[in-house]
């Protein structure tokens, strides 16, 4: 692969690469286009330093990706200052210190933090991207599927690309629309003309040096919210970017364009007709999105789990009945259900695996739990009596969204379980049950996972109630036991210091295995996932009964094996089988770390380390047994010197299949 160097002429751009008049394009052309599929975006027009507001906003959006960061600030004097840098936001800040911040004194601007999928996360592919004159700058979240045709069209008229991205084409197209024809001199109309031509999912935010007091944004599928303050207006991928300044927000709809200025915002559709967007007031504050004195967000979020559970359940039991949120499914719809699918990814998938045990037990309906990325490619049997529960913290995960679309195309009814108000998955579902875990910043899911289990259980109880497979007093009892789990989790949090100390001891291990039976099996999978995500350590979760069919060959002297013990009082048979499994692995030299119910004396002789949890009903145990595993993974990662909140190669929400 060769590096080609182009000499470009830019007249009025302070974008560093272009000022130097030289960019390198590796590869042989558009085949190497880079796409930006998760990404955080923030735009601002107001009375403060746009650079400060945008950098603060990006800091809170960095969970969406941290492969590069960039800013563009309008100086109000016809200048547009652009800087971008590969790597984390701190790299961009160091770069700004190096070049000086004098050009960045304006009060309107925008910024971007990127999670790269295809193509190298290097400076020239970082956003913002400019047109050839450097008067238009664009940041983008999403994928422009017809970029190759657009790029060819631009190259045919002599435009030379400065990056390998799909995004850059939009900067050139907007500049050209602005300079000629019906849309000449009209930035908003130029943006509309261009977005009408784009295929794919995208949010674009655009600035033009001739319009120092406005920022224009367009949305199709990728998220975008407006923040309305006093004499200042924001756009961002999510409200955490501007919550410090205002709680008044507006959720943009599909295919809408918004123009923000100091006095507010105006929304139109892609054709220019006035359009409605949904205002809402954010009910959490900045402190909820800050670390609150913790070393890292994940630890804070682990500690917030009792509250997340209580908030998720609050209001869902009224007049002796379980009620779901935006329940657009009637009791008759729930009675007609003859099969349940849970589709999800990552930790959300594990929450579905846990719920399968409860939903089948309570409703006698068959429940299949499927990785969303596999679901639609294997022609699952779906019809109007199938209930598909799509679980997603972000509500943006592309695999889950596509599974929802497939299910609906087959006439199945879709209920979204989601933590993000107004996200795409709930918007495209028949009904939604929101988890109220609050913002989850740590990339590895913790409080959202527990909230998902609770919400999935509510779905199970609502089904059992509508179908009469449980008497009303049984439904009430199950609900109240679920409610009581917030206190049980609080109690488990009392073991954090003990678990952290154990984490430090295990930090040099090469691998860790996790074993469980029944609902303890998905907990073992979740424990292993957490360790892989955070500590980059080989970790596997197994059904303990499966050990003898292969995995036992992995056991060697000193290998840490975490075992999740069921209650000795609940399913005694499960308990005694697991005691045998632990003795088998201990006999082969494993170092056993056992999570067991307080007072479970039978297990003590087999436990090199014992972590005690309160006695709770069997089906609810995952809500507490997961907690030490989260702490363990985070502490091992911290001891190994890794960034707990931002593990390498991962992003909080993955909007690519
Ligand atoms: C990413 C995250 C995981 C998360 C998964 C599903 O891969 O790293 O922690 O469980 O996405 O996310 P969702 O937002 O759909 O729950």
């Amino acid at each position: 692969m060769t590096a080609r160097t182009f000499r470009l002429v830019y007249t009025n751009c302070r974008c560093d690469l272009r000022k130097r008049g030289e960019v390198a394009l590796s590869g042989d052309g558009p085949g190497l286009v880079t796409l930006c599929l998760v990404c955080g975006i923030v735009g601002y027009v107001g009375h403060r330093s746009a650079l400060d507001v945008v950098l603060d906003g990006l800091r809170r959006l960095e969970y969406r990706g941290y492969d590069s960061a960039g800013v563009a600030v309008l100086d109000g004097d016809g200048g547009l200052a652009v800087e971008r840098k590969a790597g984390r936001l701190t790299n961009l800040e160091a770069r700004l210190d190096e070049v000086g911040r004098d050009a960045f004194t304006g009060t309107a601007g925008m910024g971007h933090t990127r999670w790269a999928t295809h193509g190298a996360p290097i400076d020239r592919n970082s956003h913002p991207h400019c047109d050839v004159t450097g008067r238009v700058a664009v940041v983008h979240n999403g994928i422009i599927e017809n970029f190759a045709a657009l790029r060819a069209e631009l190259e045919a008229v002599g435009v030379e690309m400065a990056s390998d991205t799909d995004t850059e084409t939009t900067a050139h197209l907007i500049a050209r629309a602005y300079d000629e024809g019906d849309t000449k001199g009209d930035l908003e109309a130029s943006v509309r003309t261009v977005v009408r031509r784009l295929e794919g999912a995208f949010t674009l935010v655009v600035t033009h040096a001739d319009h120092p007091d406005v920022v224009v944004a367009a949305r199709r599928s990728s998220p975008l919210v407006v923040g309305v303050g006093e004499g200042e207006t924001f756009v961002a991928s999510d409200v955490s970017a501007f919550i410090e300044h205002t709680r008044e927000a507006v959720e943009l709809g599909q295919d809408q364009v918004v123009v923000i200025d100091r006095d507010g915002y105006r929304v139109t559709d892609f054709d220019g007709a006035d359009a409605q967007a949904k205002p809402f007031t954010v009910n959490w504050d900045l402190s909820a999105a800050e670390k609150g004195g913790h070393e890292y967000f994940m630890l804070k979020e682990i500690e917030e789990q009792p509250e997340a559970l209580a908030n998720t359940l609050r209001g869902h039991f009224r007049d002796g009945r379980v009620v779901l949120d935006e329940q657009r499914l009637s009791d008759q719809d729930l009675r007609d259900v003859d099969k349940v699918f849970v589709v999800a990814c990552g930790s959300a998938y594990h929450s579905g695996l846990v719920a399968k045990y409860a939903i089948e037990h309570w409703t006698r309906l068959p429940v299949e739990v499927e990785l969303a990325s596999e679901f639609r490619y294997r022609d699952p049997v779906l019809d109007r009596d199938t209930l598909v529960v799509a679980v997603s913290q972000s509500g943006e995960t592309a695999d889950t969204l596509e599974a929802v679309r497939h299910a609906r195309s087959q006439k199945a009814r879709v209920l979204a379980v989601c933590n993000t108000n107004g996200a795409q998955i709930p918007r495209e579902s028949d009904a939604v049950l929101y988890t109220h875990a609050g913002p989850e910043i740590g990339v590895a899911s913790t409080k959202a996972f527990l909230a998902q289990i609770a919400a999935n259980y509510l779905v199970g109880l609502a089904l059992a109630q509508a179908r009469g497979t449980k008497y009303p007093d049984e439904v009430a009892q199950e609900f109240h036991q679920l409610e009581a789990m917030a206190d049980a989790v609080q109690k488990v949090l009392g073991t954090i210091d003990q678990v952290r100390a154990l984490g430090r001891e295990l930090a040099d291990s090469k691998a860790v295995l996790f074993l469980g039976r029944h609902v303890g099996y998905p907990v073992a999978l979740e424990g292993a996932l957490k360790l892989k995500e955070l500590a980059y350590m080989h970790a596997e979760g197994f059904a303990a009964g499966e050990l003898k069919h292969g995995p036992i060959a992995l056991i060697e002297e000193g290998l840490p094996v975490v075992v999740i013990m069921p209650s000795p009082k609940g399913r005694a048979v499960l308990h005694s089988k697991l005691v045998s499994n632990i003795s088998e692995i201990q006999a082969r030299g494993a170092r056993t770390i056992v999570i067991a119910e307080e007072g479970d004396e039978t297990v003590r002789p087999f436990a090199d380390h014992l972590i005690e949890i309160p006695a709770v009903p069997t089906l609810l145990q995952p809500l507490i047994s997961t907690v030490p595993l989260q702490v363990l993974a985070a502490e091992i990662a911290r001891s190994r010197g890794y960034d707990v909140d931002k593990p390498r190669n991962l992003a909080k929400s993955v909007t690519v299949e």
Side-chain angles (χ1 to χ4, degrees):
M1 212 170 269
T2 51
R4 296 188 281 150
T5 302
F6 295 95
R7 193 149 287 279
L8 305 173
V9 182
Y10 296 108
T11 52
N12 190 27
C13 180
R14 297 188 191 142
C15 166
D16 185 60
L17 288 169
R18 292 190 166 183
K19 255 196 314 195
R20 288 206 301 268
E22 196 172 89
V23 293
L25 177 63
S26 62
D28 298 322
L32 247 196
V33 162
T34 80
L35 308 167
C36 157
L37 288 140
V38 181
C39 308
I41 285 181
V42 53
Y44 174 74
V45 185
H47 46 79
R48 302 171 211 263
S49 152
L51 183 66
D52 292 348
V53 172
V54 166
L55 288 176
D56 281 349
L58 291 181
R59 209 161 289 125
R60 291 193 202 99
L61 294 178
E62 229 189 339
Y63 70 88
R64 299 178 67 85
Y66 31 86
D67 284 328
S68 70
V71 288
V73 174
L74 294 147
D75 69 5
D77 233 359
L80 174 64
V82 177
E83 196 56 71
R84 67 254 177 97
K85 195 76 196 146
R88 296 191 174 195
L89 188 58
T90 47
N91 293 6
L92 173 69
E93 289 175 305
R95 175 75 190 148
L96 286 164
D97 291 340
E98 200 181 304
V99 296
R101 300 188 178 205
D102 295 352
F104 294 88
T105 51
T107 57
M110 64 187 184
H112 184 269
T113 176
R114 173 170 184 249
W115 184 65
T117 48
H118 307 283
I122 51 178
D123 287 355
R124 73 164 182 279
N125 291 330
S126 308
H127 297 219
H129 292 281
C130 299
D131 73 310
V132 288
T133 68
R135 301 184 67 70
V136 174
V138 175
V139 295
H140 169 218
N141 171 22
I143 171 170
I144 295 162
E145 287 168 1
N146 57 333
F147 72 86
L150 299 173
R151 190 176 170 115
E153 175 188 314
L154 287 161
E155 284 175 338
V157 293
V159 177
E160 291 187 37
M161 295 290 159
S163 76
D164 313 333
T165 66
D166 56 340
T167 309
E168 190 192 340
T169 55
T170 64
H172 297 298
L173 290 169
I174 292 167
R176 294 171 75 81
Y178 185 84
D179 288 341
E180 58 205 36
D182 293 350
T183 51
K184 191 169 172 151
D186 185 338
L187 180 59
E188 196 183 328
S190 304
V191 170
R192 273 198 293 265
T193 300
V194 173
V195 293
R196 282 200 298 267
R197 298 190 59 198
L198 304 182
E199 291 166 19
F202 52 83
T203 291
L204 290 177
V205 182
V206 184
T207 53
H208 194 299
D210 290 357
H211 298 270
D213 297 324
V214 298
V215 168
V216 180
R219 169 182 192 242
R220 171 176 290 162
S221 291
S222 306
L224 194 68
V225 281
V226 176
V228 186
E230 291 286 320
E232 57 187 351
T233 315
F234 309 76
V235 281
S237 305
D238 86 43
V239 295
S240 61
F242 54 71
I243 188 77
E244 184 182 359
H245 306 292
T246 180
R247 289 189 189 192
E248 298 310 317
V250 181
E251 179 194 319
L252 280 201
Q254 186 72 328
D255 284 7
Q256 292 188 337
V257 170
V258 65
V259 182
I260 62 164
D261 62 23
R262 211 161 278 167
D263 300 321
Y265 67 98
R266 192 168 77 85
V267 182
T268 58
D269 64 18
F270 280 5
D271 293 319
D274 284 341
Q276 294 296 316
K278 194 171 148 199
F280 64 101
T281 303
V282 184
N283 59 8
W284 44 270
D285 59 18
L286 181 62
S287 66
E290 300 278 20
K291 285 184 202 157
H294 292 82
E295 217 174 315
Y296 40 86
F297 278 110
M298 186 176 161
L299 194 53
K300 172 175 178 263
E301 288 159 6
I302 287 171
E303 292 191 7
E304 285 171 349
Q305 292 185 111
E307 203 186 338
L309 275 181
N311 288 345
T312 297
L313 295 172
R314 183 165 298 125
H316 284 298
F317 193 78
R318 287 199 295 270
D319 304 327
R321 287 179 64 77
V322 166
V323 283
L324 305 184
D325 270 1
E326 293 183 28
Q327 175 63 294
R328 296 187 290 264
L329 297 174
S330 66
D331 267 9
Q332 187 55 49
D333 291 334
L334 295 179
R335 275 193 285 278
D336 288 342
V337 170
D338 63 10
K339 181 163 52 160
V340 178
F341 271 101
V342 181
V343 291
C345 305
S347 297
Y349 167 71
H350 294 156
S351 83
L353 290 177
V354 172
K356 174 182 167 81
Y357 293 85
I359 302 178
E360 287 188 337
H361 180 62
W362 291 335
T363 66
R364 310 312 301 142
L365 282 168
V367 179
E368 283 192 49
V369 187
E370 181 118 13
L371 288 167
S373 53
E374 289 293 318
F375 179 70
R376 75 183 171 126
Y377 296 107
R378 65 159 189 88
D379 199 13
V381 181
L382 302 165
D383 59 31
R384 61 178 63 255
D385 295 333
T386 313
L387 177 68
V388 173
V389 182
V391 187
S392 174
Q393 186 283 130
S394 61
E396 283 183 46
T397 302
D399 290 316
T400 312
L401 180 58
E402 289 305 329
V404 166
R405 288 176 176 159
H406 179 72
R408 294 202 74 202
S409 76
Q410 303 295 302
K411 307 279 182 283
R413 292 164 211 267
V414 179
L415 170 70
V417 169
C418 182
N419 196 43
T420 311
N421 210 326
Q424 200 61 23
I425 289 171
R427 289 165 81 99
E428 295 199 21
S429 299
D430 295 297
V432 54
L433 175 56
Y434 282 112
T435 48
H436 294 284
E440 191 177 68
I441 309 295
V443 166
S445 189
T446 52
K447 60 177 180 172
F449 172 70
L450 254 55
Q452 284 161 351
I453 296 177
N456 294 345
Y457 278 20
L458 281 177
V459 176
L461 290 177
L463 280 165
Q465 172 180 274
R467 303 168 65 79
T469 48
K470 283 231 165 255
Y471 289 114
D473 59 326
E474 291 172 321
V475 172
Q477 190 194 4
E478 298 287 358
F479 180 85
H480 294 310
Q481 284 178 343
L482 195 50
E483 254 186 335
M485 291 306 292
D487 287 343
V489 174
Q490 191 64 53
K491 221 169 153 195
V492 175
L493 292 174
T495 64
I496 278 189
D497 289 343
Q498 178 204 349
V499 180
R500 288 187 79 174
L502 176 62
R504 290 191 286 278
E505 274 184 45
L506 297 179
D508 292 331
S509 309
K510 289 208 169 44
V512 179
L513 301 186
F514 294 78
L515 299 182
R517 275 178 185 260
H518 193 257
V519 284
Y521 170 41
V523 172
L525 295 177
E526 176 65 5
L529 177 65
K530 284 283 147 297
L531 202 55
K532 283 184 249 201
E533 285 179 307
L534 298 173
Y536 321 148
M537 196 185 265
H538 180 231
E540 293 297 334
F542 294 110
E546 197 56 18
L547 199 64
K548 55 189 177 295
H549 300 297
I552 199 161
L554 293 169
I555 307 291
E556 58 186 22
E557 195 59 39
L559 178 78
V561 182
V562 180
V563 185
I564 298 107
M565 285 300 297
S567 163
K569 296 179 226 101
R571 306 268 172 106
V573 60
L574 289 177
H575 183 269
S576 63
K577 291 262 163 26
L578 250 174
V579 171
S580 311
N581 297 142
I582 310 180
S583 67
E584 284 155 21
I585 56 170
Q586 209 188 32
R588 288 165 176 79
R591 178 175 181 179
T592 56
I593 297 138
V594 180
I595 298 175
E597 191 172 297
E598 294 160 337
D600 182 353
E601 293 305 323
T602 30
V603 90
R604 212 169 264 280
F606 305 106
D608 295 320
H609 305 270
L610 184 65
I611 299 166
E612 291 189 303
I613 54 174
V616 297
T618 300
L619 285 170
L620 302 182
Q621 202 207 46
L623 293 164
I624 51 173
S625 52
T626 305
V627 178
L629 306 187
Q630 298 166 338
V631 177
L632 194 67
E635 189 60 21
I636 294 178
R638 200 195 63 81
S639 304
R640 289 160 79 104
Y642 301 141
D643 184 337
V644 173
D645 289 329
K646 299 192 192 88
R648 71 182 179 203
N649 305 338
L650 297 178
K652 184 74 186 153
S653 49
V654 182
T655 49
V656 53
E657 273 192 85

